[in-house]
Amino acid sequence: MKKSLVVLLILTLFLSGCWDRRELNELGIAMALGIDKSEGKYLVSAQVVVPSEVSMKTNSQGRSAVTLFQASGESIYEAFRKMTKNSPRKIYPGHLLILVISEDLAKEGIAESLDLLSRDWELRPDFYVVVAKNTTASEVLNVNTPIESIPANKMYNTLQVSERNWAGTKGMILDELIKDLLADGKEAVLTGIEVIGDKESGSSKQNVETITSAAEIKYDHLAVFKGDRLVGWLNEEESRGYADITNSVKSTVTAIPCPQKGKITLNILHYNSKVTGAIKKGKPEVNIKIQAEGDVGEVQCPIDLTKPKTIDELEKIYEKEVEEIIHRTVDTLRNQFNSDIFGFGDAISRSNPKVWDKMKEHWDEKFSEVTVNTQIDVKIRRIGTVNNSFLEKIKD
Amino acid sequence: MGFFKKKTNTKEQSTSPSQTKETSSPNDLKTSLQDNIQFVKDSLGESSDIVIREIRIGQGGSVKAGIFYTDGLTDTPSLQNFIMESLMLDIKGTGLEKKLTPGHNILTALKDFAMTVGEIKDLTNFDDLFTSLLSGDTILLIDGYSEGLVIGNKHWVERGITEPASQTVVRGPREGFSENLRVNTALIRRKIKDPNLWMESKVIGTRTKTNVSLMYIHGVANDKIVNEVRLRLDRIDIDGILESGNIEGFIEDSTYSPFPTVFNTERPDIVAAALLEGRIAILVDGTPFVLIVPALFVQFFQSPEDYYVHTGIGSLIRLLRFFSFVIALLAPALFVAITTFHQVMLPPALLISLTAQREGVPFPAFVEAIIMEVTFEILREAGIRMPRSIGSAMSIVGAFVIGTAAVEAGIISAAMVIVVSITAISSFVSPTYNMAISVRILRFVFMGLAASFGLYGLAIGLVAMILHLCSLRSFGIPYMAPFAPFNVSDQKDTLIVVPIWKMFTRPRLINQTNVVRQQDPASAKPQPPKNEETRE
């Protein structure tokens, strides 16, 4: 009796297990996903890696490193499963790096499309979400990229590097995006992605065989949302203004005018901004406090950097410059889109929760009345490896 | 469980009849030399290595005597110089010769005055005669006496003291035990010159009559454990003990556990250290492997070198051993579990690289792992058993054919070869062969669990293994001590090794009575002399 029980137990071990076992070479590893909408149906494109082409081993046959599978369906999930009709392996989205949403779909609203992606257990909600500007998502995923043979890797790395070093882009992962969509006093922002050049030849191998690619993927502009709908795009200056306000700057470079003529470029290394809300005389008010530290990066004008006074002057110019950008950006958002992407409402709800409860119903109107105060403090610490520019001596 | 019990019962039955048969013959020595010689010849089947020499001694050769020895086990020069010569030549014309006539007590006279040999014993029966004769002693029988003398002059060619093949160290004594029990006890005595180092001898094996010695430091070793060891050794009833492994099989606590509960070593310094901690050593004649009990889990990760080198490197290497124990146990199982169930855990670049390697591999990862592991086990076994001279041929076959060719042929993925190699190398890190073997067995169990349940199965398996380890005991001591039950002061020599002057006490669980082993660490800490002292 006991013996048969043991045998049964061992059998259950080897008969019941393994149900979710998948060998590595049964996986179609999707690194990027694109969602378009046409004629009421979702068109899902998955950029799937061809592992033998990516690996270091010499037996690669010169084929493309990724391939694109597409399927359309009533829902994203349906379309996703339908891909098995033309893919030899089941699409495995666990390592998804980037999700591209087409501009058309974004204008209609993105909330419905995101449910599957946050619900499915195979997905990790830490991939970037971007919006395809002036193009469809499938076209973005259809471009071969130099350096990174997997375009999804290129998109992921470019976004990460530019966010860290330029600050004009915003790497928004799914979790943050959903949080922003749900927040009362904050609207979502996504980075735009564009295909520049000849879209047709982008998918061919020749695209990466020449020094300049015929088609290129590039991030530009920030997509402004109101609710879950795209309402417009920010230009580069406004994008940086957005980063300045929301403390998204890690490091950046800014050219400012010299006191006389020419330009001087500052390299910002430490940056911190804080938005606090307040109610003054019944009116909402936000204070933006910015502290930044940086170096002199490039000098294109005759200026005596060895004098502390000059440095003070430069700091003043930069502070003024940032202040202007911030006000211009806030004005654009108020007048053109009426979308509070900075989280001003959020700041007020934190400082005056009771007032916010009454105010949030008609925040859209109040948003344009908010007084924006800025307090900017910039310190220039170093001037690089030379003192004064040699430009001065050349002119003599 | 019932199945196992049945087996042990039948064993007992089969061994018991042999016990009674041995003592049936008339055992006492006979008076007539001729009869005795005849009896010995008959009993030994006239074996050609038994030499029987009849001589005449005493005045006018009036006394007949017989000398028995086993050729090859006896020191022939000393037999000729100190026995034959003194009996036949040296006593000619001395006063002693007169006593050697029928009527006098010849045996006592010989023993007292003629035998210039250290070890002499009286002999009255054939059992002792055969045991002594076949152990290499010389027997002297005198016609007319039903008694005889055993002259201890054993000597045979044996392996000298060489460096042990296992448990090698860079720094530390190079001597290892040999096959001779006496030499081995001497090696230990040379390290511990304490009157309390006691040794008990037993003869085990009804036919092999193997000498087994029990060594412990009286007052340091726990008496209860000594008694338990004695009891278990006395319980052994078998015709032959050929190696200490046979003894181990009889006295170990849990035969079917993959983990060893008896420690064995070829190194006298390990035995000495164990004795000083209060453990008990069991030496068996005919093998260089000495058993040490009680043996705890951590003991199998301790190398004598840990205590001879700097404490920092000793500790790091100790940690490294535990780490490689885990690798040797789990690496293939983890690899199988992660690549077939939990791909999400791999970084994207690694996932793609592993997938690319698996392209075209015909087997599932589990089968692949089993193939490689079994191949490696075959190679390893072949490496141990085959003649030394063809070793290089095999390593070529092993390295090139199995490693490179299997990958190039697309049968095995390169990653799997790496995993199996890492596992193999890690399993050799263990300073004791015993523990490496248990890891070898368990590795396959974990691979099976990983292949059917993934990490979940691995976790269940690990919990089961730890429960089992905690339930084990070695001679009454919990096997996982000092981890479970946890003992703070014994942590000094487990995961890390503290400086020797801080090892103030002996392991608590093994030794409860005599705990302190050195002066207080506060004063033992090496430090420069204080100013006042130097001035004087």
Side-chain angles (χ1 to χ4, degrees), chain B residues 71-83:
Chain B
D71 197 17
L73 296 182
T74 307
D75 185 13
T76 330
S78 87
L79 178 75
Q80 280 159 6
N81 291 338
F82 304 117
I83 302 170

Side-chain angles (χ1 to χ4, degrees), chain B residues 489-509:
Chain B
S489 89
D490 283 1
Q491 300 300 320
K492 61 188 180 285
D493 189 18
T494 52
L495 290 175
I496 56 156
V497 190
V498 302
I500 183 123
W501 52 265
K502 273 192 178 167
M503 293 198 192
F504 176 53
T505 53
R506 303 195 164 90
R508 285 293 160 87
L509 275 161

